Amino acid sequence: MALRDLITNPATGRLSTSDSTLVGAFLASTLALLYATVTGQLSEWLFVGYLAAWVTQSQASKRAAITRDSLPTKPEETP
């Protein structure tokens, strides 16, 4: 598995804007949390907020995927 696999659409192999944004947000928030830890400014609220944000995002993504997969598909048209 390559890092590029995290930000590409597996169906098309093209770069995914939403996946790229998600990876960027994860890296930025993790670096901010690490900076706060190293400088001694980490509070329990910052840590809880970090965890809550990523757990919420993960669960919302799963719920959207379940909803999308449960929708009826259109029958393929034949010419």
Side-chain angles (χ1 to χ4, degrees):
M1 177 178 213
L3 182 60
R4 183 164 175 82
D5 294 339
L6 294 175
I7 58 173
T8 56
N9 183 336
T12 64
R14 295 179 56 197
L15 189 64
S16 169
T17 304
S18 61
D19 289 346
S20 299
T21 303
L22 182 64
V23 169
F26 176 73
L27 290 174
S29 63
T30 301
L31 289 175
L33 187 74
L34 289 173
Y35 178 77
T37 303
V38 169
T39 60
Q41 300 174 359
L42 180 65
S43 69
E44 63 272 4
W45 292 110
L46 180 61
F47 186 67
V48 167
Y50 172 82
L51 289 178
W54 289 108
V55 167
T56 303
Q57 185 281 330
S58 174
Q59 293 305 306
S61 176
K62 287 180 191 250
R63 181 162 177 103
I66 289 169
T67 302
R68 179 192 66 228
D69 292 342
S70 68
L71 292 175
T73 58
K74 289 183 184 178
E76 292 191 30
E77 296 179 15
T78 55

